[in-house]
Amino acid sequence: MSESAESAAALLDRIQVPEGSGREIPDAATREIIGRAPVHSVAELDDAIGRAKAAQPAWEALGHARRSELLLAAADAIDANAEGLAHLLSREQGKPLNGPNARFELGACSAWLRTNAAIELEPQVLVDDETLHAELVYKAAGVVGAIGPWNWPLMITIWQIGPSLRMGNTVVAKPSEYTPLSVLAMLAVMNEVLPADVLIGVSGDREVGARLASHPDIDKIMFTGSTATGRKIIESSAGNLARLTLELGGNDAGIVLPGTDVDAIAQDLFWGAFINTGQTCAAMKRLYVHDSIYDDVVAALAEIAASVPIGNGLDENNVLGPLQNRAQFDVVSRLVDEARAGGARVVTGGEPASELGELFYRPTIVADISDGAALVDEEQFGPALPVIRYTDVDDAVARANAAEVGLGASVWASDEDAAREVATRMQSGTVWINSHGGLHPMVPFGGVKSSGYGLEFGVEGLKSVAVTQVVSGPGRKGTALEGTA
Ligand code: NAD
């Protein structure tokens, strides 16, 4: 057994599953059973929320400086276990160790935690004059419920819990039922250094997620997942009035402007769409290319897609892996099959890579396709990119903006000023120029339209897990403003 496999096995041993119970979790590439994850009951969830609520006042009272130290210690603990966690993540999620995948994800976890520890959220002085001194201060919301997806399970969990803990909230985190092992292992590593009950992992099925979202003692929900589930969480919040941050689905468009140097952008275009084998919320999911360079872009993308190493993630050569689960594999297969049946041209790929395993699908480029085809209009969340020809930039912008969702978008051009002008017209939470999907822990991220609401990362991210309080007192002359609200 390799050293990282041994560390992964030791991490798995830390996840407690009562004898004879739990859910078997397969290796995404081989379908071998890796281990069993606990399936906690609603009663166990209620108990966890009760413990988190009891632990919250003391955690908040520790103060920002001490909590930041503990977050840094948690980041150190993740770094010390990174190789074992990456191995487990690679098997459970399918993403290769190498490339912008499992090791990269672990690096992001520690980087985001370190940033959460370093940033400050100062009170905002609203009025400071002779009659009034008023400040807006940010305090912990209370108990945060963190509900995560299966595509970047560790990194997204850290996005939810890092700022929450920093602001003095305690957290109950529920990983996706598809990827509980790596998340529970990471939480166990963090809990080596955090006080008891400040961060509790509860794994279970959708019923547990639904209860977490609607529980009366939950003050804030950080949710990342599909728009459909996001809507259910909004409904639950009518009951407990929990504040919500909803990072939901996307169907990000990229637009390549005329006159763009195709060779200069081809690699970045490819990875903007295929990172994590296309299973990324803010990946490019439809690409609009000007007629004058359409054939060149399609050929360049197809060449990369046909040659990029795909296979078992533990093989260091591979940079693309399988789809994580059967349901997602079926979505991708159906969308490509329908596109082909509708007359689109499958330039490369377009079929399962069954020789590699059950859930592998060849990286696919589909040309001569347009809006109205399901592969363009729906979120494929997999390794199949539709490339759409356009002749008029305004029309391309209108088609990109016609989607109900608005997470990310990108504009590609050799002329950056032209790209910037088009970028400002895109209806999305983020628009990138000559790249797609890059994130930074200090730069807020969030969607518009049906991609959700609320911002994560940086100072805005701390605000989103806080509640505000106005502190209003006498001004410099020592007299409060006359009159009452
Ligand atoms: P999903 O909505 O099926 O599940 C997400 C989580 O919600 C899981 O933990 C699940 O158990 C839980 N859940 C299910 N029903 C629930 C309910 N009624 N109440 C509360 N929780 C419930 O999403 P998924 O398939 O895991 O993730 C894929 C989707 O997530 C894609 O649409 C993708 O675009 C989106 N996503 C968005 C972002 C972002 O930052 N905007 C990031 C990653 C993924």
mmCIF file of all heavy atoms in Angstrom, residues 147-152 156 159 174-178 204-206 209-211 213 223-227 229-230 232-233 236 247-250 280-282 285 328 379 381 407 445 451 456, ligand 1:
data_model
loop_
_atom_site.group_PDB
_atom_site.id
_atom_site.type_symbol
_atom_site.label_atom_id
_atom_site.label_comp_id
_atom_site.label_asym_id
_atom_site.label_seq_id
_atom_site.Cartn_x
_atom_site.Cartn_y
_atom_site.Cartn_z
ATOM 1 N N ILE A 147 -24.651 22.929 4.099
ATOM 2 C CA ILE A 147 -25.113 21.793 3.275
ATOM 3 C C ILE A 147 -24.358 21.834 1.951
ATOM 4 O O ILE A 147 -24.431 22.822 1.221
ATOM 5 C CB ILE A 147 -26.639 21.881 3.033
ATOM 6 C CG1 ILE A 147 -27.392 21.952 4.366
ATOM 7 C CG2 ILE A 147 -27.125 20.684 2.207
ATOM 8 C CD1 ILE A 147 -28.906 22.115 4.229
ATOM 9 N N GLY A 148 -23.636 20.766 1.665
ATOM 10 C CA GLY A 148 -22.719 20.820 0.526
ATOM 11 C C GLY A 148 -23.032 19.836 -0.590
ATOM 12 O O GLY A 148 -23.792 18.885 -0.398
ATOM 13 N N PRO A 149 -22.438 20.061 -1.752
ATOM 14 C CA PRO A 149 -22.609 19.173 -2.910
ATOM 15 C C PRO A 149 -21.444 18.175 -3.020
ATOM 16 O O PRO A 149 -20.553 18.161 -2.177
ATOM 17 C CB PRO A 149 -22.568 20.157 -4.075
ATOM 18 C CG PRO A 149 -21.553 21.167 -3.643
ATOM 19 C CD PRO A 149 -21.611 21.238 -2.136
ATOM 20 N N TRP A 150 -21.440 17.411 -4.108
ATOM 21 C CA TRP A 150 -20.454 16.334 -4.241
ATOM 22 C C TRP A 150 -19.316 16.662 -5.209
ATOM 23 O O TRP A 150 -18.430 15.840 -5.405
ATOM 24 C CB TRP A 150 -21.142 15.043 -4.698
ATOM 25 C CG TRP A 150 -22.074 15.199 -5.879
ATOM 26 C CD1 TRP A 150 -23.436 15.310 -5.814
ATOM 27 C CD2 TRP A 150 -21.727 15.285 -7.265
ATOM 28 N NE1 TRP A 150 -23.956 15.465 -7.078
ATOM 29 C CE2 TRP A 150 -22.925 15.451 -7.997
ATOM 30 C CE3 TRP A 150 -20.525 15.233 -7.968
ATOM 31 C CZ2 TRP A 150 -22.961 15.569 -9.383
ATOM 32 C CZ3 TRP A 150 -20.559 15.354 -9.352
ATOM 33 C CH2 TRP A 150 -21.769 15.520 -10.041
ATOM 34 N N ASN A 151 -19.348 17.838 -5.826
ATOM 35 C CA ASN A 151 -18.356 18.061 -6.899
ATOM 36 C C ASN A 151 -17.004 18.557 -6.392
ATOM 37 O O ASN A 151 -15.959 18.090 -6.843
ATOM 38 C CB ASN A 151 -18.944 18.998 -7.957
ATOM 39 C CG ASN A 151 -19.359 20.328 -7.392
ATOM 40 O OD1 ASN A 151 -19.589 20.481 -6.190
ATOM 41 N ND2 ASN A 151 -19.456 21.325 -8.251
ATOM 42 N N TRP A 152 -17.039 19.543 -5.491
ATOM 43 C CA TRP A 152 -15.819 20.012 -4.803
ATOM 44 C C TRP A 152 -16.140 19.916 -3.317
ATOM 45 O O TRP A 152 -16.272 20.942 -2.637
ATOM 46 C CB TRP A 152 -15.479 21.448 -5.212
ATOM 47 C CG TRP A 152 -15.052 21.635 -6.632
ATOM 48 C CD1 TRP A 152 -15.841 21.874 -7.705
ATOM 49 C CD2 TRP A 152 -13.696 21.599 -7.136
ATOM 50 N NE1 TRP A 152 -15.072 21.984 -8.852
ATOM 51 C CE2 TRP A 152 -13.758 21.828 -8.524
ATOM 52 C CE3 TRP A 152 -12.448 21.404 -6.544
ATOM 53 C CZ2 TRP A 152 -12.611 21.861 -9.336
ATOM 54 C CZ3 TRP A 152 -11.312 21.444 -7.349
ATOM 55 C CH2 TRP A 152 -11.407 21.664 -8.729
ATOM 56 N N ILE A 156 -15.760 23.329 -0.922
ATOM 57 C CA ILE A 156 -17.018 24.060 -0.704
ATOM 58 C C ILE A 156 -17.414 23.996 0.772
ATOM 59 O O ILE A 156 -17.922 24.974 1.334
ATOM 60 C CB ILE A 156 -18.111 23.556 -1.664
ATOM 61 C CG1 ILE A 156 -17.758 24.016 -3.087
ATOM 62 C CG2 ILE A 156 -19.494 24.055 -1.250
ATOM 63 C CD1 ILE A 156 -18.642 23.485 -4.192
ATOM 64 N N TRP A 159 -15.457 26.663 2.355
ATOM 65 C CA TRP A 159 -16.032 27.982 2.048
ATOM 66 C C TRP A 159 -17.171 28.304 3.007
ATOM 67 O O TRP A 159 -17.388 29.458 3.351
ATOM 68 C CB TRP A 159 -16.593 28.015 0.621
ATOM 69 C CG TRP A 159 -15.578 27.931 -0.469
ATOM 70 C CD1 TRP A 159 -14.212 27.965 -0.349
ATOM 71 C CD2 TRP A 159 -15.857 27.800 -1.872
ATOM 72 N NE1 TRP A 159 -13.641 27.859 -1.594
ATOM 73 C CE2 TRP A 159 -14.615 27.760 -2.540
ATOM 74 C CE3 TRP A 159 -17.038 27.715 -2.611
ATOM 75 C CZ2 TRP A 159 -14.523 27.642 -3.932
ATOM 76 C CZ3 TRP A 159 -16.952 27.599 -3.986
ATOM 77 C CH2 TRP A 159 -15.701 27.564 -4.649
ATOM 78 N N LYS A 174 -23.437 19.191 6.810
ATOM 79 C CA LYS A 174 -23.952 17.960 6.206
ATOM 80 C C LYS A 174 -23.390 17.792 4.796
ATOM 81 O O LYS A 174 -23.754 18.507 3.876
ATOM 82 C CB LYS A 174 -25.478 17.984 6.117
ATOM 83 C CG LYS A 174 -26.037 16.601 5.804
ATOM 84 C CD LYS A 174 -27.388 16.607 5.135
ATOM 85 C CE LYS A 174 -27.321 16.660 3.644
ATOM 86 N NZ LYS A 174 -26.683 15.534 2.978
ATOM 87 N N PRO A 175 -22.489 16.831 4.621
ATOM 88 C CA PRO A 175 -21.960 16.601 3.271
ATOM 89 C C PRO A 175 -22.993 15.922 2.379
ATOM 90 O O PRO A 175 -23.975 15.348 2.865
ATOM 91 C CB PRO A 175 -20.782 15.663 3.509
ATOM 92 C CG PRO A 175 -21.004 15.043 4.844
ATOM 93 C CD PRO A 175 -21.903 15.953 5.632
ATOM 94 N N SER A 176 -22.741 15.979 1.093
ATOM 95 C CA SER A 176 -23.588 15.251 0.152
ATOM 96 C C SER A 176 -23.524 13.757 0.456
ATOM 97 O O SER A 176 -22.478 13.235 0.842
ATOM 98 C CB SER A 176 -23.087 15.498 -1.279
ATOM 99 O OG SER A 176 -23.631 14.528 -2.147
ATOM 100 N N GLU A 177 -24.617 13.080 0.244
ATOM 101 C CA GLU A 177 -24.650 11.629 0.481
ATOM 102 C C GLU A 177 -23.723 10.884 -0.485
ATOM 103 O O GLU A 177 -23.387 9.736 -0.273
ATOM 104 C CB GLU A 177 -26.076 11.075 0.411
ATOM 105 C CG GLU A 177 -26.901 11.477 -0.792
ATOM 106 C CD GLU A 177 -27.639 12.816 -0.618
ATOM 107 O OE1 GLU A 177 -27.034 13.786 -0.113
ATOM 108 O OE2 GLU A 177 -28.809 12.891 -1.027
ATOM 109 N N TYR A 178 -23.277 11.570 -1.565
ATOM 110 C CA TYR A 178 -22.352 10.934 -2.510
ATOM 111 C C TYR A 178 -20.890 11.016 -2.046
ATOM 112 O O TYR A 178 -20.073 10.215 -2.475
ATOM 113 C CB TYR A 178 -22.451 11.617 -3.887
ATOM 114 C CG TYR A 178 -23.720 11.298 -4.642
ATOM 115 C CD1 TYR A 178 -24.660 12.292 -4.898
ATOM 116 C CD2 TYR A 178 -23.971 10.013 -5.116
ATOM 117 C CE1 TYR A 178 -25.821 12.011 -5.606
ATOM 118 C CE2 TYR A 178 -25.123 9.726 -5.832
ATOM 119 C CZ TYR A 178 -26.048 10.734 -6.066
ATOM 120 O OH TYR A 178 -27.190 10.442 -6.777
ATOM 121 N N GLY A 204 -26.159 12.076 6.310
ATOM 122 C CA GLY A 204 -27.416 11.370 6.173
ATOM 123 C C GLY A 204 -27.966 11.683 4.810
ATOM 124 O O GLY A 204 -27.266 12.246 3.975
ATOM 125 N N ASP A 205 -29.192 11.339 4.614
ATOM 126 C CA ASP A 205 -29.745 11.567 3.287
ATOM 127 C C ASP A 205 -30.499 12.894 3.249
ATOM 128 O O ASP A 205 -30.349 13.744 4.115
ATOM 129 C CB ASP A 205 -30.618 10.376 2.865
ATOM 130 C CG ASP A 205 -31.518 9.975 4.004
ATOM 131 O OD1 ASP A 205 -31.833 10.879 4.801
ATOM 132 O OD2 ASP A 205 -31.893 8.793 4.099
ATOM 133 N N ARG A 206 -31.313 13.021 2.207
ATOM 134 C CA ARG A 206 -32.005 14.290 1.991
ATOM 135 C C ARG A 206 -32.898 14.697 3.158
ATOM 136 O O ARG A 206 -33.083 15.881 3.432
ATOM 137 C CB ARG A 206 -32.837 14.184 0.705
ATOM 138 C CG ARG A 206 -31.957 14.398 -0.474
ATOM 139 C CD ARG A 206 -32.355 13.812 -1.763
ATOM 140 N NE ARG A 206 -31.179 13.948 -2.618
ATOM 141 C CZ ARG A 206 -31.009 14.909 -3.521
ATOM 142 N NH1 ARG A 206 -31.961 15.777 -3.753
ATOM 143 N NH2 ARG A 206 -29.896 14.988 -4.211
ATOM 144 N N GLY A 209 -30.904 16.629 5.459
ATOM 145 C CA GLY A 209 -30.686 17.964 4.902
ATOM 146 C C GLY A 209 -31.913 18.835 5.105
ATOM 147 O O GLY A 209 -31.812 20.002 5.517
ATOM 148 N N ALA A 210 -33.072 18.259 4.842
ATOM 149 C CA ALA A 210 -34.314 19.029 4.950
ATOM 150 C C ALA A 210 -34.553 19.455 6.392
ATOM 151 O O ALA A 210 -34.953 20.592 6.676
ATOM 152 C CB ALA A 210 -35.485 18.205 4.427
ATOM 153 N N ARG A 211 -34.271 18.555 7.337
ATOM 154 C CA ARG A 211 -34.458 18.888 8.755
ATOM 155 C C ARG A 211 -33.459 19.967 9.187
ATOM 156 O O ARG A 211 -33.803 20.885 9.934
ATOM 157 C CB ARG A 211 -34.289 17.606 9.599
ATOM 158 C CG ARG A 211 -34.271 17.816 11.091
ATOM 159 C CD ARG A 211 -35.619 18.305 11.619
ATOM 160 N NE ARG A 211 -35.589 18.443 13.079
ATOM 161 C CZ ARG A 211 -36.473 19.145 13.762
ATOM 162 N NH1 ARG A 211 -37.450 19.773 13.152
ATOM 163 N NH2 ARG A 211 -36.391 19.224 15.079
ATOM 164 N N ALA A 213 -32.214 22.296 7.382
ATOM 165 C CA ALA A 213 -32.630 23.596 6.829
ATOM 166 C C ALA A 213 -33.822 24.185 7.573
ATOM 167 O O ALA A 213 -33.969 25.400 7.638
ATOM 168 C CB ALA A 213 -32.956 23.445 5.346
ATOM 169 N N PHE A 223 -25.787 27.078 1.746
ATOM 170 C CA PHE A 223 -26.145 25.943 0.883
ATOM 171 C C PHE A 223 -25.473 26.067 -0.475
ATOM 172 O O PHE A 223 -25.498 27.133 -1.100
ATOM 173 C CB PHE A 223 -27.661 25.885 0.678
ATOM 174 C CG PHE A 223 -28.057 24.843 -0.346
ATOM 175 C CD1 PHE A 223 -28.010 23.491 -0.024
ATOM 176 C CD2 PHE A 223 -28.436 25.204 -1.633
ATOM 177 C CE1 PHE A 223 -28.334 22.525 -0.968
ATOM 178 C CE2 PHE A 223 -28.771 24.240 -2.585
ATOM 179 C CZ PHE A 223 -28.726 22.898 -2.253
ATOM 180 N N THR A 224 -24.876 24.996 -0.926
ATOM 181 C CA THR A 224 -24.393 24.914 -2.300
ATOM 182 C C THR A 224 -24.933 23.641 -2.899
ATOM 183 O O THR A 224 -24.741 22.545 -2.358
ATOM 184 C CB THR A 224 -22.854 24.917 -2.351
ATOM 185 O OG1 THR A 224 -22.393 26.126 -1.765
ATOM 186 C CG2 THR A 224 -22.359 24.848 -3.775
ATOM 187 N N GLY A 225 -25.617 23.789 -4.020
ATOM 188 C CA GLY A 225 -26.200 22.626 -4.668
ATOM 189 C C GLY A 225 -27.107 23.082 -5.795
ATOM 190 O O GLY A 225 -26.922 24.171 -6.348
ATOM 191 N N SER A 226 -28.097 22.280 -6.102
ATOM 192 C CA SER A 226 -28.913 22.573 -7.269
ATOM 193 C C SER A 226 -29.950 23.662 -6.981
ATOM 194 O O SER A 226 -30.330 23.893 -5.823
ATOM 195 C CB SER A 226 -29.621 21.303 -7.727
ATOM 196 O OG SER A 226 -30.480 20.870 -6.698
ATOM 197 N N THR A 227 -30.426 24.286 -8.026
ATOM 198 C CA THR A 227 -31.454 25.322 -7.890
ATOM 199 C C THR A 227 -32.734 24.716 -7.313
ATOM 200 O O THR A 227 -33.410 25.332 -6.477
ATOM 201 C CB THR A 227 -31.708 25.982 -9.256
ATOM 202 O OG1 THR A 227 -30.472 26.567 -9.695
ATOM 203 C CG2 THR A 227 -32.756 27.076 -9.178
ATOM 204 N N THR A 229 -33.099 22.224 -5.160
ATOM 205 C CA THR A 229 -32.989 22.076 -3.707
ATOM 206 C C THR A 229 -32.947 23.452 -3.044
ATOM 207 O O THR A 229 -33.523 23.652 -1.963
ATOM 208 C CB THR A 229 -31.732 21.256 -3.335
ATOM 209 O OG1 THR A 229 -31.747 20.040 -4.070
ATOM 210 C CG2 THR A 229 -31.690 20.944 -1.863
ATOM 211 N N GLY A 230 -32.298 24.407 -3.691
ATOM 212 C CA GLY A 230 -32.259 25.776 -3.157
ATOM 213 C C GLY A 230 -33.664 26.319 -2.930
ATOM 214 O O GLY A 230 -33.947 26.952 -1.905
ATOM 215 N N LYS A 232 -36.306 24.588 -2.248
ATOM 216 C CA LYS A 232 -36.905 23.934 -1.061
ATOM 217 C C LYS A 232 -36.373 24.582 0.215
ATOM 218 O O LYS A 232 -37.100 24.741 1.199
ATOM 219 C CB LYS A 232 -36.555 22.446 -1.060
ATOM 220 C CG LYS A 232 -37.285 21.689 -2.152
ATOM 221 C CD LYS A 232 -37.088 20.194 -1.996
ATOM 222 C CE LYS A 232 -37.639 19.484 -3.223
ATOM 223 N NZ LYS A 232 -36.868 18.343 -3.639
ATOM 224 N N ILE A 233 -35.112 24.951 0.195
ATOM 225 C CA ILE A 233 -34.520 25.567 1.395
ATOM 226 C C ILE A 233 -35.132 26.946 1.635
ATOM 227 O O ILE A 233 -35.381 27.333 2.778
ATOM 228 C CB ILE A 233 -32.983 25.591 1.259
ATOM 229 C CG1 ILE A 233 -32.487 24.144 1.386
ATOM 230 C CG2 ILE A 233 -32.335 26.507 2.283
ATOM 231 C CD1 ILE A 233 -31.034 23.944 1.158
ATOM 232 N N SER A 236 -38.258 26.272 3.421
ATOM 233 C CA SER A 236 -38.028 25.944 4.846
ATOM 234 C C SER A 236 -37.753 27.194 5.659
ATOM 235 O O SER A 236 -38.136 27.276 6.824
ATOM 236 C CB SER A 236 -36.800 25.056 5.043
ATOM 237 O OG SER A 236 -36.815 23.987 4.202
ATOM 238 N N GLU A 247 -25.753 29.148 -3.108
ATOM 239 C CA GLU A 247 -24.914 29.047 -4.310
ATOM 240 C C GLU A 247 -25.494 27.914 -5.127
ATOM 241 O O GLU A 247 -25.324 26.738 -4.790
ATOM 242 C CB GLU A 247 -23.468 28.720 -3.925
ATOM 243 C CG GLU A 247 -22.782 29.779 -3.092
ATOM 244 C CD GLU A 247 -22.386 31.008 -3.896
ATOM 245 O OE1 GLU A 247 -22.631 31.031 -5.113
ATOM 246 O OE2 GLU A 247 -21.846 31.944 -3.296
ATOM 247 N N LEU A 248 -26.175 28.254 -6.199
ATOM 248 C CA LEU A 248 -26.961 27.236 -6.910
ATOM 249 C C LEU A 248 -26.364 26.923 -8.275
ATOM 250 O O LEU A 248 -25.221 27.260 -8.558
ATOM 251 C CB LEU A 248 -28.415 27.713 -7.010
ATOM 252 C CG LEU A 248 -29.036 28.150 -5.666
ATOM 253 C CD1 LEU A 248 -30.458 28.639 -5.853
ATOM 254 C CD2 LEU A 248 -28.983 27.023 -4.642
ATOM 255 N N GLY A 249 -27.136 26.293 -9.097
ATOM 256 C CA GLY A 249 -26.627 25.823 -10.385
ATOM 257 C C GLY A 249 -26.299 26.958 -11.345
ATOM 258 O O GLY A 249 -26.670 28.112 -11.132
ATOM 259 N N GLY A 250 -25.584 26.616 -12.380
ATOM 260 C CA GLY A 250 -25.235 27.611 -13.396
ATOM 261 C C GLY A 250 -25.284 26.995 -14.781
ATOM 262 O O GLY A 250 -25.425 25.782 -14.937
ATOM 263 N N THR A 280 -18.335 21.261 -12.321
ATOM 264 C CA THR A 280 -17.987 22.464 -11.565
ATOM 265 C C THR A 280 -19.094 23.480 -11.770
ATOM 266 O O THR A 280 -19.545 23.687 -12.904
ATOM 267 C CB THR A 280 -16.628 23.018 -12.060
ATOM 268 O OG1 THR A 280 -15.632 22.025 -11.798
ATOM 269 C CG2 THR A 280 -16.251 24.311 -11.379
ATOM 270 N N CYS A 281 -19.530 24.094 -10.651
ATOM 271 C CA CYS A 281 -20.668 25.011 -10.755
ATOM 272 C C CYS A 281 -20.372 26.122 -11.745
ATOM 273 O O CYS A 281 -21.165 26.398 -12.633
ATOM 274 C CB CYS A 281 -20.994 25.582 -9.388
ATOM 275 S SG CYS A 281 -19.575 26.239 -8.532
ATOM 276 N N ALA A 282 -19.203 26.763 -11.580
ATOM 277 C CA ALA A 282 -18.890 27.888 -12.459
ATOM 278 C C ALA A 282 -17.918 27.450 -13.550
ATOM 279 O O ALA A 282 -16.915 28.107 -13.803
ATOM 280 C CB ALA A 282 -18.331 29.051 -11.653
ATOM 281 N N LYS A 285 -20.212 26.226 -19.682
ATOM 282 C CA LYS A 285 -21.086 25.118 -20.086
ATOM 283 C C LYS A 285 -21.647 25.300 -21.480
ATOM 284 O O LYS A 285 -22.312 24.415 -22.013
ATOM 285 C CB LYS A 285 -22.194 24.953 -19.042
ATOM 286 C CG LYS A 285 -21.566 24.433 -17.744
ATOM 287 C CD LYS A 285 -22.464 24.392 -16.558
ATOM 288 C CE LYS A 285 -21.640 23.868 -15.367
ATOM 289 N NZ LYS A 285 -22.082 24.347 -14.100
ATOM 290 N N GLN A 328 -25.502 11.472 -12.752
ATOM 291 C CA GLN A 328 -24.857 12.532 -13.527
ATOM 292 C C GLN A 328 -24.344 11.990 -14.861
ATOM 293 O O GLN A 328 -24.423 12.660 -15.891
ATOM 294 C CB GLN A 328 -23.717 13.146 -12.708
ATOM 295 C CG GLN A 328 -23.303 14.503 -13.196
ATOM 296 C CD GLN A 328 -24.455 15.494 -13.195
ATOM 297 O OE1 GLN A 328 -25.178 15.609 -12.212
ATOM 298 N NE2 GLN A 328 -24.656 16.186 -14.301
ATOM 299 N N GLU A 379 -28.045 22.506 -17.717
ATOM 300 C CA GLU A 379 -26.708 22.349 -17.119
ATOM 301 C C GLU A 379 -26.278 20.892 -17.266
ATOM 302 O O GLU A 379 -26.868 20.003 -16.661
ATOM 303 C CB GLU A 379 -26.768 22.731 -15.641
ATOM 304 C CG GLU A 379 -25.414 22.676 -14.971
ATOM 305 C CD GLU A 379 -25.464 22.963 -13.465
ATOM 306 O OE1 GLU A 379 -26.441 22.567 -12.795
ATOM 307 O OE2 GLU A 379 -24.504 23.562 -12.974
ATOM 308 N N PHE A 381 -23.168 19.618 -16.502
ATOM 309 C CA PHE A 381 -22.353 19.240 -15.345
ATOM 310 C C PHE A 381 -21.508 18.000 -15.652
ATOM 311 O O PHE A 381 -21.480 17.021 -14.917
ATOM 312 C CB PHE A 381 -23.268 18.970 -14.141
ATOM 313 C CG PHE A 381 -22.711 19.456 -12.834
ATOM 314 C CD1 PHE A 381 -22.441 20.796 -12.630
ATOM 315 C CD2 PHE A 381 -22.466 18.574 -11.783
ATOM 316 C CE1 PHE A 381 -21.933 21.251 -11.417
ATOM 317 C CE2 PHE A 381 -21.958 19.015 -10.571
ATOM 318 C CZ PHE A 381 -21.695 20.354 -10.388
ATOM 319 N N LEU A 407 -24.543 32.473 -12.907
ATOM 320 C CA LEU A 407 -23.448 32.302 -11.944
ATOM 321 C C LEU A 407 -22.183 32.990 -12.468
ATOM 322 O O LEU A 407 -21.756 34.006 -11.960
ATOM 323 C CB LEU A 407 -23.223 30.800 -11.682
ATOM 324 C CG LEU A 407 -22.300 30.454 -10.520
ATOM 325 C CD1 LEU A 407 -22.761 31.101 -9.233
ATOM 326 C CD2 LEU A 407 -22.213 28.938 -10.343
ATOM 327 N N PHE A 445 -17.739 35.879 -4.372
ATOM 328 C CA PHE A 445 -18.284 34.986 -5.388
ATOM 329 C C PHE A 445 -19.735 34.698 -5.038
ATOM 330 O O PHE A 445 -20.063 34.421 -3.882
ATOM 331 C CB PHE A 445 -17.463 33.685 -5.384
ATOM 332 C CG PHE A 445 -17.989 32.618 -6.313
ATOM 333 C CD1 PHE A 445 -17.945 32.784 -7.680
ATOM 334 C CD2 PHE A 445 -18.514 31.441 -5.795
ATOM 335 C CE1 PHE A 445 -18.421 31.796 -8.538
ATOM 336 C CE2 PHE A 445 -18.990 30.444 -6.651
ATOM 337 C CZ PHE A 445 -18.940 30.628 -8.019
ATOM 338 N N SER A 451 -29.278 31.490 -9.993
ATOM 339 C CA SER A 451 -28.057 30.899 -9.428
ATOM 340 C C SER A 451 -27.904 31.217 -7.945
ATOM 341 O O SER A 451 -26.898 30.846 -7.339
ATOM 342 C CB SER A 451 -26.825 31.376 -10.199
ATOM 343 O OG SER A 451 -26.806 30.793 -11.481
ATOM 344 N N GLU A 456 -19.962 34.835 -1.036
ATOM 345 C CA GLU A 456 -18.964 34.143 -0.222
ATOM 346 C C GLU A 456 -17.611 34.793 -0.488
ATOM 347 O O GLU A 456 -17.419 35.448 -1.503
ATOM 348 C CB GLU A 456 -18.929 32.658 -0.593
ATOM 349 C CG GLU A 456 -20.238 31.945 -0.269
ATOM 350 C CD GLU A 456 -20.163 30.449 -0.476
ATOM 351 O OE1 GLU A 456 -20.197 30.019 -1.649
ATOM 352 O OE2 GLU A 456 -20.066 29.707 0.503
HETATM 353 P P1 NAD B 1 -28.233 18.778 -4.710
HETATM 354 O O1 NAD B 1 -29.069 20.005 -4.633
HETATM 355 O O2 NAD B 1 -28.839 17.536 -5.203
HETATM 356 O O3 NAD B 1 -27.656 18.414 -3.252
HETATM 357 C C1 NAD B 1 -26.909 19.336 -2.496
HETATM 358 C C2 NAD B 1 -27.072 19.030 -1.026
HETATM 359 O O4 NAD B 1 -28.402 19.301 -0.605
HETATM 360 C C3 NAD B 1 -26.801 17.581 -0.645
HETATM 361 O O5 NAD B 1 -26.022 17.580 0.538
HETATM 362 C C4 NAD B 1 -28.192 17.023 -0.400
HETATM 363 O O6 NAD B 1 -28.231 15.961 0.505
HETATM 364 C C5 NAD B 1 -28.898 18.217 0.189
HETATM 365 N N1 NAD B 1 -30.357 18.194 0.091
HETATM 366 C C6 NAD B 1 -31.123 17.528 -0.781
HETATM 367 N N2 NAD B 1 -32.433 17.810 -0.589
HETATM 368 C C7 NAD B 1 -32.480 18.703 0.430
HETATM 369 C C8 NAD B 1 -33.535 19.420 1.069
HETATM 370 N N3 NAD B 1 -34.797 19.261 0.720
HETATM 371 N N4 NAD B 1 -33.186 20.292 2.033
HETATM 372 C C9 NAD B 1 -31.908 20.490 2.374
HETATM 373 N N5 NAD B 1 -30.875 19.832 1.818
HETATM 374 C C10 NAD B 1 -31.155 18.956 0.847
HETATM 375 O O7 NAD B 1 -26.950 19.210 -5.551
HETATM 376 P P2 NAD B 1 -25.727 18.289 -6.046
HETATM 377 O O8 NAD B 1 -26.234 17.381 -7.118
HETATM 378 O O9 NAD B 1 -25.004 17.727 -4.879
HETATM 379 O O10 NAD B 1 -24.753 19.393 -6.701
HETATM 380 C C11 NAD B 1 -24.788 19.737 -8.039
HETATM 381 C C12 NAD B 1 -25.421 21.096 -8.239
HETATM 382 O O11 NAD B 1 -24.810 22.037 -7.381
HETATM 383 C C13 NAD B 1 -25.246 21.659 -9.625
HETATM 384 O O12 NAD B 1 -26.437 22.279 -10.057
HETATM 385 C C14 NAD B 1 -24.172 22.715 -9.464
HETATM 386 O O13 NAD B 1 -24.178 23.728 -10.434
HETATM 387 C C15 NAD B 1 -24.457 23.204 -8.106
HETATM 388 N N6 NAD B 1 -23.259 23.785 -7.513
HETATM 389 C C16 NAD B 1 -23.235 25.135 -7.320
HETATM 390 C C17 NAD B 1 -22.105 25.732 -6.796
HETATM 391 C C18 NAD B 1 -22.035 27.210 -6.582
HETATM 392 O O14 NAD B 1 -21.105 27.670 -5.927
HETATM 393 N N7 NAD B 1 -22.972 27.992 -7.088
HETATM 394 C C19 NAD B 1 -21.008 24.938 -6.455
HETATM 395 C C20 NAD B 1 -21.077 23.557 -6.660
HETATM 396 C C21 NAD B 1 -22.227 23.007 -7.187
#
